[in-house]
Amino acid sequence: AQTVTQSQPEMSVQEAETVTLSCTYDTSESNYYLFWYKQPPSRQMILVIRQEAYKQQNATENRFSVNFQKAAKSFSLKISDSQLGDTAMYFCAFMSISGNTGKLIFGQGTTLQVKP
Amino acid sequence: SQTIHQWPATLVQPVGSPLSLECTVEGTSNPNLYWYRQAAGRGLQLLFYSVGIGQISSEVPQNLSASRPQDRQFILSSKKLLLSDSGFYLCAWSFGGLRSGNTIYFGEGSWLTVV
């Protein structure tokens, strides 16, 4: 069974600084999808970034980028130029490519606080 | 563009009472639809998913059921709520079809407190 581990329960960063959130996962599959979701105090889950495992190039979305290390099964999220609005809980998630269930396996989350 | 709406946002129900949470998606046809539940301070767990009208798959045996009476409508129900059903419930959708790995988009969520 696949598992996702986020080892940092809480992190903080100063506004305008850079922060990296860690995520590791375990799977025997060679092809899959990885996601980072953000959950602000409103509780709505918002997609931050997505990575296909068959792509070697790391995904980027504006100030958000990932460091995808397939062999190490690591998928970290880097937030550059942190803004107060980035304060939220961040979840790493895994989706198997087999079937079409849309089953996301989530990590336990990392609470990020951006300080002014 | 596509939108997803979920209601009610907050619900307080006594033990043993019924439950109905509703979700609709606009701007697309034949979406895949999902119900997830989030325990306090934790990641989400998939409860049900549907690839078409009347097609429901359950991931976790429980006191809840789901129905899809229309293409873009997904309902989470219970005949008799338990205290353990309390939590944050999110409806979600993705583009349908056989292609896997479609990004899942979430609704605003519903807080359910069973008292």
Side-chain angles (χ1 to χ4, degrees):
Chain A
Q2 295 93 352
T3 58
V4 177
T5 302
Q6 293 177 249
S7 59
Q8 306 152 312
E10 296 180 358
M11 296 190 70
S12 64
V13 63
Q14 292 296 130
E15 195 175 8
E17 297 291 308
T18 296
V19 64
T20 298
L21 308 182
S22 301
C23 172
T24 58
Y25 58 93
D26 188 27
T27 183
S28 59
E29 300 182 14
S30 60
N31 207 0
Y32 44 85
Y33 298 85
L34 296 165
F35 303 84
W36 278 98
Y37 282 89
K38 165 185 176 181
Q39 189 176 40
S42 67
R43 299 302 297 266
Q44 185 170 8
M45 295 289 279
I46 302 167
L47 176 69
V48 175
I49 203 164
R50 160 198 167 108
Q51 174 81 41
E52 291 90 345
Y54 61 87
K55 291 186 178 179
Q56 293 186 338
Q57 185 174 7
N58 289 323
T60 62
E61 286 289 342
N62 301 315
R63 298 183 294 106
F64 298 89
S65 62
V66 298
N67 183 5
F68 175 47
Q69 301 290 328
K70 191 172 184 179
K73 297 180 181 176
S74 171
F75 184 60
S76 61
L77 175 70
K78 185 172 81 172
I79 305 174
S80 305
D81 185 24
S82 297
Q83 301 175 359
L84 296 178
D86 294 333
T87 292
M89 196 159 189
Y90 287 81
F91 290 95
C92 178
F94 171 98
M95 181 188 290
S96 170
I97 197 170
S98 60
N100 190 26
T101 65
K103 182 175 182 178
L104 284 167
I105 298 172
F106 284 84
Q108 300 291 58
T110 296
T111 300
L112 175 67
Q113 184 178 11
V114 180
K115 298 179 178 179
Chain B
S1 64
Q2 298 80 26
T3 57
I4 178 170
H5 298 290
Q6 179 181 346
W7 70 95
T10 304
L11 198 59
V12 180
Q13 292 287 97
V15 170
S17 64
L19 169 73
S20 180
L21 299 179
E22 295 192 31
C23 170
T24 60
V25 178
E26 299 294 334
T28 187
S29 59
N30 196 31
N32 292 339
L33 298 172
Y34 313 91
W35 279 108
Y36 278 81
R37 177 167 60 193
Q38 184 177 25
R42 298 196 174 266
L44 278 66
Q45 180 186 37
L46 178 64
L47 300 177
F48 300 96
Y49 68 93
S50 171
V51 300
I53 296 174
Q55 301 178 61
I56 310 294
S57 296
S58 174
E59 283 288 308
V60 181
Q62 61 214 313
N63 186 42
L64 302 169
S65 62
S67 62
R68 184 170 177 172
Q70 300 181 44
D71 181 44
R72 294 170 293 170
Q73 183 185 23
F74 207 25
I75 299 172
L76 183 69
S77 304
S78 173
K79 292 183 178 178
K80 290 185 178 182
L81 285 168
L82 306 173
L83 287 174
S84 58
D85 292 324
S86 295
F88 189 60
Y89 291 82
L90 290 107
C91 183
W93 73 276
S94 66
F95 287 107
L98 297 177
R99 186 166 67 95
S100 297
N102 290 328
T103 297
I104 293 178
Y105 301 95
F106 290 87
E108 306 95 331
S110 297
W111 268 113
L112 170 65
T113 302
V114 182
V115 297

